Amino acid sequence: MDMASSPRTVEEIFKDYGARRTAVIRALTHDVDEFYGLCDPDKDNLCLYGHPNEAWEVTLPAEEVPPELPEPALGINFARDGMNRRDWLSLVAVHSDSWLVSVAFYLGARLNRNERKRLFSLINDLPSVFEVVTDRKPVKDKPTADSGSKSRGSAKRSSDEQVKSNPKFVDEGYEEDEDEHNETLCGSCGGNYNADEFWICCDICERWFHGKCVKITPAKAESIKQYKCPSCSLRRGRP
């Protein structure tokens, strides 16, 4: 495939990505027994390919250097018998996700900044291959400690109380188990996370707090560039 005949627009590249993704997912789910049998550890370095016609293939890597497209993970067959089957399939899924994104952005080399952003947004709206293979479920409103300056309001608030979309507020994430909500405790009162309440995270210590415990409302949070909890504010104020 030369660059002149390859997909050029965001829509064309995303269509190519979707077809390859569908093929890989089929190999790792519906056709998993056939895929597993083809990945014989006694064979040479094998790769899992997803093609634009939604067909998958386990075969040797391309011989030309450099290849026409980024290559999938090499030698996926070697680890097959040394790992738990589910763990091995999960590992192949992770590598497949990386390959799919690399192909998409290789094809999008001539896209401008906004087009690349739109392409990634389209890709990110789909569950990853890893998430499909491991049956991970989407969970909304789960605060994460590594999302920068962040806060989270109730999903049930009225429209005039909704937190506007900006870097201070976390996006939807994927978690394996909804019970993981209970692992987040308020740094002030020690209460469990509750999706019906507004939370905010300290940018210094990265602990989460009920908005009511630190007297921060969603409206007030919008004007805060960097939130410091009471404890960190006191520490920063000492000589």
Side-chain angles (χ1 to χ4, degrees), residues 17-207:
Y17 169 88
R20 295 177 189 273
R21 172 182 172 276
T22 296
V24 169
I25 288 175
R26 183 181 296 115
L28 297 177
T29 55
H30 185 271
D31 298 341
V32 65
D33 290 335
E34 180 185 357
F35 168 71
Y36 191 87
L38 290 172
C39 292
D40 185 346
D42 292 332
K43 294 183 179 180
D44 289 332
N45 295 308
L46 296 176
C47 301
L48 171 60
Y49 291 88
H51 297 301
N53 63 354
E54 299 188 2
W56 61 270
E57 181 182 19
V58 172
T59 188
L60 297 172
E63 294 184 0
E64 61 266 34
V65 179
E68 292 183 356
L69 289 174
E71 287 290 294
L74 183 67
I76 58 172
N77 51 314
F78 293 149
R80 191 196 71 176
D81 292 350
M83 298 177 66
N84 172 276
R85 173 167 165 150
R86 183 176 178 85
D87 291 341
W88 176 73
L89 291 171
S90 298
L91 180 63
V92 175
V94 170
H95 282 294
S96 296
D97 278 318
S98 299
W99 174 68
L100 289 168
V101 172
S102 69
V103 170
F105 279 81
Y106 175 84
L107 296 174
R110 293 190 173 94
L111 298 179
N112 61 37
R113 178 181 178 181
N114 289 334
E115 289 171 332
R116 290 195 304 272
K117 184 177 180 180
R118 185 155 63 91
L119 174 61
F120 180 77
S121 179
L122 290 170
I123 291 173
N124 202 41
D125 282 342
L126 295 174
S128 67
V129 175
F130 175 73
E131 288 164 344
V132 173
V133 170
T134 58
D135 295 323
R136 291 203 168 199
K137 300 177 181 178
V139 176
K140 298 180 180 180
D141 299 333
K142 172 73 166 64
T144 55
D146 59 351
S147 55
S149 180
K150 48 243 165 199
S151 52
R152 167 58 68 185
S154 165
K156 298 180 180 179
R157 297 183 187 278
S158 60
S159 59
D160 59 333
E161 293 177 330
Q162 285 288 350
V163 178
K164 295 180 180 179
S165 175
N166 64 45
K168 293 183 67 58
F169 306 103
V170 293
D171 294 326
E172 295 179 3
Y174 285 88
E175 293 294 342
E176 189 168 5
D177 192 337
E178 292 186 10
D179 290 337
E180 289 182 17
H181 280 293
N182 297 326
E183 296 177 4
T184 303
L185 303 178
C186 175
S188 178
C189 72
N192 288 330
Y193 171 78
N194 186 334
D196 290 333
E197 297 177 304
F198 174 78
W199 285 62
I200 188 167
C201 182
C202 175
D203 287 299
I204 306 302
C205 66
E206 296 192 336
R207 289 186 298 167

